[in-house]
Amino acid sequence: MAGPPKLCSSIHGGKSLFPFPASSSSLLAKPISPLKTYNGSALPTGGLSSGHGLWRRATGLKCRATSTPASVQPVTDGVVVEDKSKENLVSGDSIRRRFIDFYASRGHKVLPSSSLVPDDPTVLLTIAGMLQFKPIFLGKAPREFPRATTSQKCIRTNDVENVGRTSRHHTFFEMLGNFSFGDYFKREAIKWAWELSIEEFGLPADSVWISIYEDDDETFKIWHEEVGVPVERIKRMGAEDNFWTSGPTGPCGPCTELYFDFHPEKGNGEVDLGDDSRFIEFYNLVFMQYNRKDDGSLEPLKQQNIDTGLGLERLARILQKVPNNYETDLIYPIIQKASELANVPYHGADDKKKMQLKIIGDHMRAIVYLLSDGVLPSNVGRGYVARRLIRRAVRTGRLLGIKGDCKGNIEGAFLPAIAETVIEMSTSIDPEVKVRASRIIGELQREELRFVLTLERGEKLLEQMLSEALSSAKKIGRSPCLSGNDLFLLYDTYGFPVEITTEVAEEKGVEIDMEGFYVEMENQRRQSQAAHNVVKLDVENGGDLAEMVADTEFLGYDTLSTKALVQSLLLNGKPVLQVSEGNEVEVLLNKTPFYAESGGQIGDRGYLYITEDESERTAVVQIQDVKKSLGSVFVHKGTIKEGVLEVGKEVEANVDPKLRQRAKVHHTATHLLQSALKKVIGEETSQAGSLVAFDRLRFDFNFHRPLVDNELDEIERLINGWIGDATLLHTKVLPLTDAKKAGAIAMFGEKYGEEVRVVEVPGVSMELCGGTHVNNTSEIRAFKIISEQGIASGIRRIEAVAGEAYIEYINGRDSQLRRLCSTLKVKAEEVTTRVDNLLEELRAARNEVSTLRAKAAVYKASIIASKVISIEASSPIRVLVENMDDVDAESLKSAAEYLVDSLQDPAAVVLGSAPDEGKVSLVAAFSPGVVKLGVQAGKFIGPIAKLCGGGGGGRPNFAQAGGRQPENLSSALEKARTDLLSVLTEKSSQ
């Protein structure tokens, strides 16, 4: 069978979630329940509901009379149990619960939604329900259960321009899913999907259509011969629509989709399932059954999986009988709140205002859940998604006429009022949202007010830019276009997302120069020289290795030395049987005392020894780092210092005790730091990242402002007090739910199993943590903050030292202070006064130098004034354009001001200089008479600066600009002279 070339475009979005090939290997599934035959298919016992869905709705009862054997009893993990006694059976919350109950009763493990921030560096945000199971599907993590069901929060912004315009596009949505990991396959998945749709939710059978992959005869037979769907309502479609792939190679397979027909009266003739006015796809079943090889051919997977997605908003629209997803109870209350603030009744609004209300309803869900999951607004990555949606919502609200906070404060923020509605509706989706409500509201308010500060100025500038683009295009007979430089100015200086600028430009009929914008963005990136370090651990043939190597047994909590067997050796990522002296190697042991990097703590260092005759060492491996791969396989990275290391050999694994102690000290100090922060700046602050190293600790946390000195002092006082209390730490392993009930703090972004390790400093802190810690707080000895700074919008970072690193830090500072005292010839307590005096003397000297430079520039200007060119007119216009060599920007400004004042009005002066290597300064000074002629300095200097690789602007009478290409300065000034003479000649003759 030749492999179809394209991705499945479906409820899963047709997006490739696996950017790399995966092994087809897997663990064999074990049956979880007795089976019985139902209409010719094997189903778990207890799998059928009693009664018909329509009857249950008609009577208002919710009954499931069948008993479920213990082997398939529904199991939940952190999922909220709701009171169902007075439930609206077609509400969004009810649909979600009924879906989960349906699959839980069929032996599926019920799992909570994972974070919108995926544990996967290849994906920016969680875009599908299957993402949290990706390692299982790839065979890179063992399955803990054969089947699962979830309601997953998802974010997609690739179709953001369609939000509010169509009936079904959203940035935030919930994906209900059932998954099988080598357990059941097509027959069960198809029959359960039909039973759920027709019996549980009561959809009319003749209103449900089916699409299948064109070559998938097996699926066709199940739908037609076993389920009973008529042939005419089963549509075979191509690979673009009904074949899912994970990338050029790797897992793939056909999919089948369920569509609801809003107009069955139109018959079964020439039907297009892509007709949004008639059909909506609401359920997609992916059959992950093949592995695509490098040559494009397909081979059956050893473990065949099921991945499904049912769009909650889409099914709610069908069951609630509303014209679009926005008018379901999942979104409409948010629209109502926005409608109230704007004083625009939704059902009485025109199409444009309805669209704007829908945009706010959609975006506010995405914004609240992003902020709740720790995504804070910024100009990069996930933060840019959040910022873009917030700013789009703000601008849309202003277009609707919403002003201020709608409580009398015209300068206040209105998004928090709408966010409160989203938060109130969040309980069944994510209970943590209400816990984080104050932080969400605070960050949203700050971001909106930040944007409003520049929005009005930016809007005026954009309006001016668009007007000029239209005027210029009319003169030269071309399509109007906004330059990349203008786009970047709006983005970088005024915070306008490019998408918003694009929307406004399109409304005015102006195109945009995206290529030019990308050039400007790249220039900025090069200038910023921002370092972005990403550690990527890839082991070639990982799937095969997973079958050969068991998880590593970690003994490092109790010992720093153990004997272990070498299970595998990797040289340049490839398995080998032995490695000789001088080579870098990756060593996989059956057990180890070495801690592998996780939870912010770096990996241990130490040595592996092979000893013969209990005394002679025949091989020595220096371990520089340890990381986890393939689930819980510890990869020891090191260098063979002596001898040869072979697979199967016994080694003595020894952790460096001094470095381990440093890590333990800093890790426990990190826990104390988080507790101190919560006491000093508020319980709502939370961890946003950390580093536990041998020489320092780093702690990132959510907070909207810098910490002041007395807050930092109080944090240090608290921590050093707890250290002095000499408190014994308690460590225990508990079920995750029990640990959370006990008040243990879970770290953001960490994944936990059903049992977790809890580290407690009694009376101070209790956290879920797999790291290594001191036994008693007195081992930390002392704690010192060495820096506090902002690293992103709403994210602060503290760096600190403790224990041995603290002593080294203090000794280093003391040595520096003694040298400073010696140099300044003062006592330690007099250093500050002496430095202040020196700075004052330096400021005075700099001011004197600046004054002298300005005088020199003016003197130079007085000499070049003789080069002025006069344009004959009723009042002669004097023009002077000159190169002032290496004069600095401030002195250039003084020279231009002197010249324009010295020359009789009307006069125009343009000066340029190259004060430093790779730097150009330009200034334009126009007298009132020139400005009255309609020639403005701010508009004139910009195009000249572009010739020197820069830009700039200013007032009509005075403007400054810069550039990065001094070699173009002479030609740019010649261009300025020619243009200025031409335009002033033309203007003066009119």
Side-chain angles (χ1 to χ4, degrees):
M1 172 179 168
K6 297 183 180 178
L7 302 179
C8 171
S9 171
S10 65
I11 247 179
H12 283 266
K15 298 297 175 187
S16 171
L17 299 181
F18 302 96
F20 39 83
S23 165
S24 61
S25 63
S26 65
L27 300 173
L28 292 175
K30 295 180 181 178
I32 65 163
S33 66
L35 299 178
K36 69 177 183 179
T37 300
Y38 170 62
N39 289 346
S41 65
L43 297 177
T45 56
L48 299 178
S49 308
S50 66
H52 193 280
L54 289 175
W55 177 84
R56 287 197 299 273
R57 267 172 293 289
T59 59
L61 297 175
K62 172 67 179 174
C63 54
R64 189 178 295 282
T66 48
S67 62
T68 306
S71 60
V72 292
Q73 281 294 324
V75 183
T76 63
D77 186 359
V79 177
V80 177
V81 178
E82 302 171 55
D83 178 11
K84 308 170 190 173
S85 58
K86 297 181 180 179
E87 185 177 20
N88 171 8
L89 292 180
V90 297
S91 71
D93 286 348
S94 174
I95 295 168
R96 183 190 306 108
R97 182 194 57 73
R98 290 167 67 190
F99 179 96
I100 296 296
D101 285 354
F102 181 89
Y103 282 104
S105 72
R106 286 152 180 79
H108 289 64
K109 171 88 169 172
V110 180
L111 296 173
S113 171
S114 61
S115 169
L116 288 171
V117 179
D119 186 26
D120 183 341
T122 67
V123 184
L124 192 65
L125 292 164
T126 298
I127 59 174
M130 60 81 69
L131 195 59
Q132 65 171 301
F133 305 116
K134 174 178 166 181
I136 302 175
F137 285 137
L138 282 174
K140 293 198 171 186
R143 67 171 196 174
E144 298 177 12
F145 28 78
R147 51 181 79 169
T149 183
T150 64
S151 174
Q152 176 63 51
K153 304 173 295 184
C154 298
I155 292 275
R156 291 184 195 158
T157 57
N158 52 314
D159 291 325
V160 68
E161 69 278 358
N162 288 325
V163 170
R165 299 178 187 272
T166 72
S167 61
R168 60 181 175 84
H169 281 94
H170 301 293
T171 56
F172 176 90
F173 58 95
E174 287 185 76
M175 187 72 78
L176 308 178
N178 55 290
F179 307 91
S180 168
F181 313 112
D183 187 20
Y184 64 84
F185 200 50
K186 287 185 181 180
R187 176 169 284 104
E188 295 87 347
I190 289 172
K191 291 191 173 184
W192 283 338
W194 185 259
E195 182 186 350
L196 176 77
S197 303
I198 307 306
E199 294 191 30
E200 174 64 35
F201 288 120
L203 300 182
D206 60 0
S207 292
V208 178
W209 289 64
I210 307 298
S211 72
I212 64 172
Y213 176 54
E214 56 193 357
D215 294 338
D216 192 0
D217 295 332
E218 180 187 6
T219 296
F220 175 82
K221 287 180 180 179
I222 297 172
W223 277 120
H224 178 54
E225 297 177 9
E226 299 185 30
V227 176
V229 179
V231 173
E232 59 270 20
R233 290 213 315 276
I234 303 175
K235 293 293 181 184
R236 292 180 183 265
M237 301 176 75
E240 184 175 351
D241 296 298
N242 280 73
F243 196 93
W244 179 85
T245 71
S246 60
T249 59
C252 59
C255 57
T256 184
E257 299 160 337
L258 285 73
Y259 289 79
F260 186 78
D261 184 358
F262 292 106
H263 299 287
E265 71 279 2
K266 293 184 178 182
N268 302 335
E270 292 295 323
V271 167
D272 176 11
L273 293 180
D275 179 2
D276 283 354
S277 65
R278 178 174 175 180
F279 296 100
I280 187 169
E281 176 206 343
F282 66 92
Y283 204 175
N284 179 31
L285 318 177
V286 174
F287 307 129
M288 212 177 293
Q289 68 185 96
Y290 300 114
N291 178 56
R292 190 193 300 280
K293 298 196 290 187
D294 290 336
D295 62 4
S297 62
L298 301 176
E299 62 180 3
L301 283 171
K302 296 177 185 177
Q303 173 178 295
Q304 296 183 325
N305 304 308
I306 292 291
D307 161 28
T308 78
L310 184 150
L312 176 60
E313 292 80 6
R314 298 182 181 197
L315 186 57
R317 172 193 173 187
I318 296 167
L319 295 179
Q320 294 174 19
K321 299 180 180 179
V322 291
N324 55 69
N325 297 3
Y326 298 95
E327 294 183 37
T328 67
D329 68 336
L330 294 164
I331 305 175
Y332 191 63
I334 309 167
I335 291 176
Q336 283 183 305
K337 183 63 179 179
S339 175
E340 173 192 324
L341 296 181
N343 196 25
V344 176
Y346 176 80
H347 289 291
D350 58 29
D351 289 344
K352 184 174 182 180
K353 281 188 166 49
K354 277 187 177 179
M355 179 188 73
Q356 292 166 341
L357 288 166
K358 290 174 184 175
I359 288 172
I360 293 177
D362 169 88
H363 286 12
M364 287 308 300
R365 293 207 304 167
I367 291 163
V368 166
Y369 287 99
L370 281 169
L371 292 175
S372 176
D373 280 352
V375 179
L376 297 176
S378 71
N379 281 341
V380 294
R382 301 180 184 104
Y384 180 63
V385 174
R387 173 159 287 171
R388 171 187 176 188
L389 293 175
I390 291 171
R391 295 188 168 188
R392 203 164 186 259
V394 172
R395 180 176 180 270
T396 302
R398 289 166 68 91
L399 290 174
L400 277 165
I402 302 177
K403 295 181 179 178
D405 62 1
C406 301
K407 297 177 182 178
N409 182 5
I410 197 67
E411 296 181 355
F414 71 88
L415 292 187
I418 304 176
E420 288 173 359
T421 301
V422 182
I423 293 168
E424 190 59 36
M425 296 168 63
S426 69
T427 302
S428 298
I429 305 171
D430 182 357
E432 291 297 312
V433 173
K434 284 189 176 179
V435 175
R436 301 164 182 155
S438 61
R439 176 161 59 84
I440 294 168
I441 294 295
E443 185 58 44
L444 193 54
Q445 183 176 38
R446 284 188 291 275
E447 179 65 15
E448 180 178 347
L449 294 178
R450 271 195 295 262
F451 182 44
V452 168
L453 287 175
T454 58
L455 182 60
E456 290 184 358
R457 283 183 294 159
E459 284 177 336
K460 289 177 182 176
L461 181 58
L462 175 56
E463 191 67 32
Q464 179 183 329
M465 289 175 173
L466 292 174
S467 176
E468 290 177 358
L470 288 165
S471 175
S472 175
K474 190 174 181 181
K475 288 180 181 178
I476 61 177
R478 291 183 183 175
S479 299
C481 182
L482 202 60
S483 73
N485 187 61
D486 287 342
L487 277 172
F488 182 73
L489 177 66
L490 288 164
Y491 167 81
D492 191 50
T493 304
Y494 295 96
F496 265 63
V498 177
E499 295 77 13
I500 290 181
T501 304
T502 303
E503 287 177 13
V504 179
E506 286 176 351
E507 290 169 5
K508 301 284 188 180
V510 178
E511 298 174 357
I512 59 168
D513 174 20
M514 284 305 300
E515 186 176 340
F517 172 76
Y518 292 136
V519 169
E520 295 292 337
M521 284 287 287
E522 183 59 30
N523 288 339
Q524 186 197 53
R525 273 192 289 269
R526 281 201 300 266
Q527 290 171 9
S528 66
Q529 298 178 342
H532 186 70
N533 299 319
V534 178
V535 176
K536 188 175 181 181
L537 179 65
D538 287 327
V539 179
E540 198 168 293
N541 301 318
D544 296 333
L545 200 60
E547 290 187 341
M548 297 188 300
V549 181
D551 286 351
T552 309
E553 181 185 1
F554 177 59
L555 307 175
Y557 293 136
D558 304 313
T559 183
L560 297 182
S561 178
T562 190
K563 292 189 180 296
L565 290 176
V566 178
Q567 288 190 301
S568 181
L569 295 172
L570 300 171
L571 186 64
N572 299 321
K574 296 180 180 179
V576 294
L577 293 177
Q578 67 176 30
V579 184
S580 58
E581 185 176 322
N583 286 295
E584 293 185 355
V585 65
E586 293 174 325
V587 186
L588 279 60
L589 305 174
N590 66 328
K591 54 187 175 180
T592 184
F594 284 84
Y595 183 83
E597 179 180 318
S598 62
Q601 181 176 332
I602 65 174
D604 278 330
R605 296 178 187 172
Y607 289 89
L608 304 180
Y609 300 110
I610 295 179
T611 306
E612 292 185 4
D613 300 329
E614 297 186 2
S615 60
E616 183 183 355
R617 286 177 175 168
T618 59
V620 178
V621 184
Q622 183 178 12
I623 301 299
Q624 287 102 8
D625 197 9
V626 185
K627 296 185 183 295
K628 284 184 184 178
S629 181
L630 306 173
S632 294
V633 176
F634 286 38
V635 182
H636 304 73
K637 297 188 171 189
T639 304
I640 311 286
K641 293 294 184 181
E642 296 178 23
V644 175
L645 189 62
E646 298 179 26
V647 172
K649 285 285 189 181
E650 184 180 70
V651 299
E652 183 181 331
N654 290 339
V655 174
D656 185 318
K658 291 183 178 179
L659 293 181
R660 167 64 79 83
Q661 181 65 17
R662 283 171 171 255
K664 288 164 61 176
V665 162
H666 280 142
H667 207 147
T668 305
T670 300
H671 287 209
L672 300 182
L673 174 57
Q674 175 155 237
S675 294
L677 280 165
K678 287 181 176 292
K679 284 184 176 293
V680 174
I681 64 175
E683 286 291 331
E684 69 277 4
T685 190
S686 61
Q687 180 176 340
S690 69
L691 171 69
V692 175
F694 305 129
D695 61 338
R696 72 193 188 286
L697 69 87
R698 188 176 72 209
F699 188 80
D700 300 340
F701 57 100
N702 297 296
F703 204 55
H704 60 278
R705 61 167 174 80
L707 272 62
V708 295
D709 288 345
N710 65 326
E711 290 172 328
L712 295 171
D713 291 343
E714 178 63 11
I715 290 167
E716 285 186 349
R717 187 192 67 77
L718 283 170
I719 294 173
N720 284 309
W722 293 328
I723 293 169
D725 289 341
T727 303
L728 281 170
L729 273 71
H730 296 169
T731 303
K732 51 193 171 186
V733 177
L734 296 173
L736 178 60
T737 51
D738 291 352
K740 287 185 175 179
K741 286 178 184 176
I745 298 174
M747 295 299 98
F748 175 76
E750 286 292 306
K751 285 189 174 291
Y752 299 100
E754 293 188 2
E755 289 199 329
V756 293
R757 185 168 179 264
V758 179
V759 177
E760 181 183 11
V761 181
V764 178
S765 108
M766 183 190 294
E767 297 189 15
L768 308 184
C769 183
T772 62
H773 290 270
V774 298
N775 295 315
N776 189 299
T777 58
S778 63
E779 293 178 41
I780 301 173
R781 300 163 73 181
F783 174 91
K784 180 67 180 175
I785 293 173
I786 58 177
S787 70
E788 190 277 336
Q789 61 183 329
I791 59 169
S793 176
I795 302 288
R796 308 296 302 175
R797 170 173 290 172
I798 283 178
E799 291 200 4
V801 288
E804 197 67 28
Y806 168 87
I807 294 172
E808 290 172 355
Y809 175 80
I810 293 300
N811 286 341
R813 283 299 180 95
D814 183 62
S815 175
Q816 291 170 356
L817 182 59
R818 280 188 275 110
R819 286 198 300 271
L820 191 58
C821 290
S822 175
T823 300
L824 297 177
K825 303 195 183 311
V826 293
K827 297 177 181 177
E829 58 270 22
E830 297 171 349
V831 167
T832 303
T833 302
R834 180 63 179 134
V835 170
D836 286 342
N837 291 337
L838 287 173
L839 287 174
E840 185 57 39
E841 291 172 14
L842 180 60
R843 276 192 292 269
R846 282 178 174 171
N847 288 338
E848 187 175 348
V849 169
S850 179
T851 301
L852 290 171
R853 281 180 176 170
K855 288 180 178 179
V858 169
Y859 174 73
K860 194 170 185 177
S862 66
I863 295 173
I864 66 171
S866 60
K867 298 181 180 180
V868 69
I869 300 172
S870 182
I871 298 174
E872 293 301 326
S874 55
S875 294
I877 305 171
R878 294 157 187 81
V879 177
L880 182 62
V881 180
E882 285 298 327
N883 187 337
M884 301 236 356
D885 302 323
D886 59 353
V887 171
D888 64 275
E890 195 60 33
S891 299
L892 197 69
K893 175 185 174 184
S894 298
E897 289 172 341
Y898 165 79
L899 285 167
V900 82
D901 288 342
S902 301
L903 299 173
Q904 188 176 347
D905 187 28
V909 175
V910 176
L911 301 177
S913 68
D916 294 301
E917 185 177 348
K919 187 174 181 180
V920 172
S921 292
L922 291 164
V923 64
F926 293 175
S927 70
V930 171
V931 174
K932 283 181 182 179
L933 290 173
V935 183
Q936 297 185 6
K939 292 182 179 180
F940 181 82
I941 201 66
I944 304 304
K946 285 182 182 179
L947 299 175
C948 296
R955 302 187 306 274
N957 67 316
F958 191 87
Q960 289 179 284
R964 300 180 298 276
Q965 299 166 356
E967 64 273 16
N968 296 340
L969 178 59
S970 296
S971 58
L973 290 174
E974 187 58 41
K975 169 75 170 165
R977 183 182 291 108
T978 302
D979 288 355
L980 199 51
L981 290 171
S982 174
V983 70
L984 289 175
T985 300
E986 180 185 344
K987 293 285 186 181
S988 63
S989 63
Q990 291 177 354

